[in-house]
Amino acid sequence: MTAMAPEQAPAAPPFILYLDGAEYTDEMHALAVWVGDLLLPVYGREVTSQQPWCPRWWEHLEAVARLHALWLAWQELTDPTAGASGPAVWHRDHLGPVMAELRSPSGPFAGCKAGAHRAKQPPTVEPYGTGS
């Protein structure tokens, strides 16, 4: 008689910055649905200069990375296997910090206004090993 292999947990979905091509496009579409249908209607709050939000959030790579991480945590912590406190943990440990960073006056949406996206330039980086 051969021993049966223990069930393996499904692989965690890859972080969006590791994807490209059709995988990236599909993941961005799913993320945009979650942001537009759940996150913003429930947690969006009013846009002000002290709490900016960019209507073209997907053009800010930092926002994409943070929102994707938030969505992955939401999927994990709202699953019934997470237990009754999973949603509270998500609110405390994930939602609050991510939204505070995104909507900070110095965050990735700084300078964006309701209905207006403003592209940002990343800091200049010199190639490693070129200094004196």
Side-chain angles (χ1 to χ4, degrees), residues 13-16 27 67-77 90:
F15 185 49
I16 198 163
E27 194 73 358
L67 288 168
H68 190 256
L70 183 63
W71 180 46
L72 292 176
W74 179 81
Q75 291 176 70
E76 179 180 327
L77 292 169
W90 181 78

Side-chain angles (χ1 to χ4, degrees), residues 11-26:
F15 185 49
I16 198 163
L17 297 184
Y18 297 154
L19 304 176
D20 59 12
E23 285 183 316
Y24 181 85
T25 301
D26 292 347

Side-chain angles (χ1 to χ4, degrees), residues 2-8:
T2 57
M4 295 181 67
E7 285 190 44
Q8 294 182 4

Side-chain angles (χ1 to χ4, degrees), residues 77-93:
L77 292 169
T78 60
D79 186 276
T81 61
S85 63
V89 170
W90 181 78
H91 282 91
R92 181 193 69 206
D93 294 348

Side-chain angles (χ1 to χ4, degrees), residues 1 5 7 10 19 21 48-49 54 57 65 69-70 85 89 107 110 115 120 131:
M1 178 171 359
E7 285 190 44
L19 304 176
T48 68
S49 60
C54 184
W57 59 266
L70 183 63
S85 63
V89 170
K120 314 302 185 285

